[in-house]
Amino acid sequence: MADAVSNLYSDKGIANVEAFLLGSGDWRRTGSGGVSVTIVGIDVNAGALALARVVPSTLRNALKEPDTVVVDEGDSDKLDIKSGETAEISGRKVRVIGLIRGLRGLGGVNIVTSLDTAIALDRTLPSSGGATYYLSRAAPAEAETTILERLNKYSISPSIETWKADDLAAISTNYMLMESGAGIAFVFATLIALFIGALITSQTLLSAVAGNVPQYATLRALGVSFGDIRVIVIEQAAWVGIFGFILSFSVSLIISTFAEIFSIPYDLRLTTILGASVALLLVAIFACVIAIQRLRETDPATLLR
Amino acid sequence: MTLAICAQDISKNYNIQNVHTRALDTISLEISAGEFTLLTGPSGCGKSTLLAVLSGMTKPDRGTVQSGDFVLTAASDQERDAFRLHKCGFIFQGFNLFPGLTAVEQVQIPLDYLKIPEERARQRAERALDSVGLSHRKHLRPAEMSGGEKQRVAIARALVKKPAILFADEPTSALDRENGERVVAILRAIAHRIGSAVLCVSHDLRLFSQADRILEMEDGKLRRDLRRPRT
């Protein structure tokens, strides 16, 4: 392990290396029960990589003071703590010196602190240069992929794996969504929501068409061709689709605003909106085809009976 | 007298839930232009089926239906649609107006599908409404009109394209005496003034005295064909 880390430090493609620690602890406030927390130990020096966007430089600097931590503002109620107050983690007193945004987890609570404080709080964490993960910045002269290939082939031991930041993020997201219990529940809930949405859209269109069958039959009796009727149904489907899209987009925006207010990490991407729109379009087309098929069976002569 | 429609030996059978019904049994008849023809008979005798066959909505199992050179029974669905659009007008028992449209928009519909320019179509629709005494109600929707007014809008919609043949299915059954008589007078006037062949299915006795010709059906057959000399 030590050799592998030395190799990492000495690789010509690596500009810097910093340790990243993930431990656990038992959070307690006076007179209340414990909360299991994840202790996140980061390099707090200026220009360090870990949580660079989440923990601002002033807070990083302040974390150099031993036994200081920061927590996500979305977890402050759960932890019953405000900035400036103290609590205990695994029996050791810590002081919360600030609140951050964007680190609210799916399950547990993250407590961010310096590497030294993390080791002091969780005695099982590796000390003297060890780490759960090492974060490195690639030297600008060489392509990331080339460095990665070399590290995996020669420099690093087989027990250590290296990833690009994006790849690790993707692996992590995939794990949280597809393998963790909360993630699978989320995926299923989304699928159910999608199914119900599809059902509502298709039923709205089908009932709109069914409700107008006598009118379509009248048009047929007046001599309007089936092709022209089909155009009307397609137009009707398009309106249902457009209103459905406007409604669902508005609701999504309202929900994402609530998520923002309650500090829930929420990402409404353009690709997600496009994906949902395509799903909506497919449902509208499908319902449209069924509606047209039903209308094909409409006999204008029924108006004469 | 010019023939509007000529039917030869037409038969139509239905099988509903394994019950075989002979709706039309070898019927031959001719409907003339400029004549108000009344088709009557007991319920279920095949009147509506005959109307559907003569207008090209339904194909008979046997026989031919012809209007001028156009043979409806040999035509495709699209050709029969076009025949109805260009040649036929319809008046239904239940009015069958479009709830979201004003009276003038209802009347304009056939003209829109006949690709008549908007301005001309509107003028013709307004004239048609005027001819049924509804020019002052042209901006009203069906929910704002009485039954008699709705039926007159439906008549205006049928006559706006000056149809060669006008089919009416029980047009007075949902109307009171005054409105019923008014509708009958309009139908008669359409036949005599415009020269359309008006074929009207009805049980309404008020129509009998106004009709130029009365056809009586029973059990899918034509029983009597009475023609009254024009007064």
Side-chain angles (χ1 to χ4, degrees):
Chain A
M1 172 80 181
D3 290 349
V5 177
S6 309
N7 287 344
L8 183 63
Y9 276 96
S10 60
D11 191 289
K12 63 182 166 71
I14 298 295
N16 72 319
V17 178
E18 66 183 62
F20 181 82
L21 293 170
L22 281 179
S24 60
D26 181 42
W27 171 282
R28 276 178 200 275
R29 287 272 281 162
T30 324
S32 63
V35 179
S36 289
V37 294
T38 300
I39 297 163
V40 183
I42 59 166
D43 187 333
V44 290
N45 290 312
L49 293 168
L51 305 183
R53 286 194 291 269
V54 176
V55 185
S57 56
T58 47
L59 272 184
R60 294 181 97 86
N61 204 34
L63 281 175
K64 284 178 182 168
E65 186 187 335
D67 299 329
T68 55
V69 298
V70 292
V71 299
D72 190 280
E73 64 180 15
D75 291 327
S76 63
D77 279 351
K78 206 185 304 175
L79 298 173
D80 185 26
I81 196 100
K82 292 188 189 71
S83 181
E85 292 181 341
T86 58
E88 275 185 12
I89 296 177
S90 306
R92 190 180 176 98
K93 194 175 174 185
V94 292
R95 188 160 62 88
V96 175
I97 56 161
L99 300 177
I100 53 174
R101 285 177 72 91
L103 205 67
R104 191 174 190 173
L106 258 183
V109 178
N110 295 310
I111 307 288
V112 180
T113 184
S114 67
L115 293 169
D116 290 339
T117 305
I119 292 162
L121 291 173
D122 183 354
R123 291 288 170 194
T124 63
L125 285 173
S127 54
S128 54
T132 317
Y133 292 97
Y134 287 100
L135 307 180
S136 300
R137 181 181 282 125
E142 222 174 341
E144 277 180 0
T145 323
T146 320
I147 303 167
L148 213 63
E149 275 174 13
R150 187 172 57 245
L151 285 174
N152 279 331
K153 214 167 180 183
Y154 307 113
S155 309
I156 305 284
S157 80
S159 61
I160 297 180
E161 202 176 340
T162 51
W163 304 278
K164 285 198 280 186
D166 290 346
D167 293 344
L168 180 60
I171 291 168
S172 179
T173 306
N174 196 45
Y175 169 80
M176 292 310 291
L177 271 180
M178 307 311 291
E179 288 176 53
S180 71
I184 287 169
F186 169 77
V187 169
F188 269 91
T190 307
L191 286 177
I192 289 169
L194 197 69
F195 178 70
I196 292 171
L199 213 61
I200 290 171
T201 308
S202 58
Q203 286 305 307
T204 304
L205 180 64
L206 287 176
S207 55
V209 170
N212 290 328
V213 161
Q215 295 185 45
Y216 288 120
T218 305
L219 285 174
R220 294 283 289 121
L222 295 179
V224 176
S225 69
F226 190 75
D228 286 333
I229 300 277
R230 196 161 39 201
V231 170
I232 298 172
V233 176
I234 291 170
E235 193 181 323
Q236 209 170 5
W239 282 114
V240 169
I242 289 167
F243 279 113
F245 177 75
I246 292 171
L247 190 71
S248 56
F249 188 63
S250 310
V251 170
S252 301
L253 283 184
I254 291 167
I255 290 172
S256 61
T257 308
F258 272 110
E260 182 68 24
I261 291 168
F262 293 106
S263 302
I264 298 163
Y266 186 89
D267 197 9
L268 187 61
R269 292 182 193 178
L270 188 65
T271 47
T272 313
I273 295 170
L274 284 176
S277 308
V278 168
L280 186 72
L281 186 73
L282 290 175
V283 169
I285 290 171
F286 177 69
C288 190
V289 169
I290 293 180
I292 289 170
Q293 203 55 41
R294 281 192 193 169
L295 275 184
R296 197 179 281 281
E297 294 153 17
T298 307
D299 180 5
T302 53
L303 297 174
L304 301 175
R305 280 163 206 160
Chain B
M1 203 172 278
T2 317
L3 284 184
I5 291 191
C6 177
Q8 200 69 42
D9 298 328
I10 49 172
S11 296
K12 181 77 183 170
N13 300 306
Y14 287 114
N15 253 326
I16 301 167
Q17 290 173 336
N18 292 329
V19 179
H20 182 80
T21 311
R22 171 155 281 204
L24 300 177
D25 188 2
T26 337
I27 289 182
S28 296
L29 87 162
E30 292 165 345
I31 305 292
S32 304
E35 208 170 42
F36 179 24
T37 305
L38 186 67
L39 180 60
T40 188
S43 290
C45 70
K47 304 184 297 287
S48 296
T49 306
L50 182 60
L51 206 67
V53 169
L54 294 178
S55 62
M57 286 191 209
T58 306
K59 272 194 170 182
D61 297 333
R62 277 188 302 279
T64 56
V65 179
Q66 198 166 342
S67 175
D69 295 333
F70 182 69
V71 183
L72 273 81
T73 37
S76 66
D77 286 354
Q78 288 87 341
E79 287 168 336
R80 285 185 287 124
D81 287 343
F83 167 76
R84 284 202 303 279
L85 182 63
H86 288 91
K87 301 281 183 190
C88 306
F90 285 91
I91 300 162
F92 305 100
Q93 183 179 2
F95 320 132
N96 289 89
L97 298 178
F98 301 98
L101 302 183
T102 63
V104 70
E105 287 166 343
Q106 311 265 2
V107 179
Q108 223 181 306
I109 285 180
L111 304 181
D112 292 342
Y113 282 98
L114 283 167
K115 310 272 187 262
I116 289 170
E118 165 75 25
E119 193 49 41
R120 254 179 65 203
R122 181 154 287 255
Q123 285 169 1
R124 277 177 66 173
E126 284 175 358
R127 277 204 300 274
L129 279 173
D130 192 32
S131 73
V132 294
L134 280 180
S135 52
H136 62 298
R137 311 287 273 170
K138 64 183 178 187
H139 296 302
L140 297 186
R141 291 189 165 75
E144 300 160 318
M145 287 187 270
S146 69
E149 286 171 335
K150 284 184 212 173
Q151 195 58 300
R152 279 189 280 154
V153 172
I155 293 173
R157 181 175 69 184
L159 66 84
V160 71
K161 58 185 174 185
K162 298 187 174 64
I165 311 144
L166 179 67
F167 296 97
D169 186 31
E170 303 277 6
T172 56
S173 67
L175 303 180
D176 59 22
R177 192 180 63 82
E178 192 186 335
N179 277 303
E181 283 173 359
R182 199 165 186 172
V183 164
V184 174
I186 295 169
L187 292 178
R188 189 175 154 85
I190 291 170
H192 295 173
R193 289 191 198 147
I194 301 177
S196 302
V198 178
L199 178 61
C200 178
V201 167
S202 184
H203 289 102
D204 192 341
L205 294 174
R206 290 170 295 191
L207 271 73
F208 283 57
S209 61
Q210 300 293 317
D212 300 316
R213 184 184 175 196
I214 299 171
L215 300 169
E216 262 183 40
M217 280 187 74
E218 199 179 319
D219 297 331
K221 287 179 182 292
L222 213 50
R223 291 291 178 205
R224 290 210 294 176
D225 184 352
L226 307 168
R227 188 170 261 122
R228 190 202 315 272
R230 282 262 186 109
T231 52

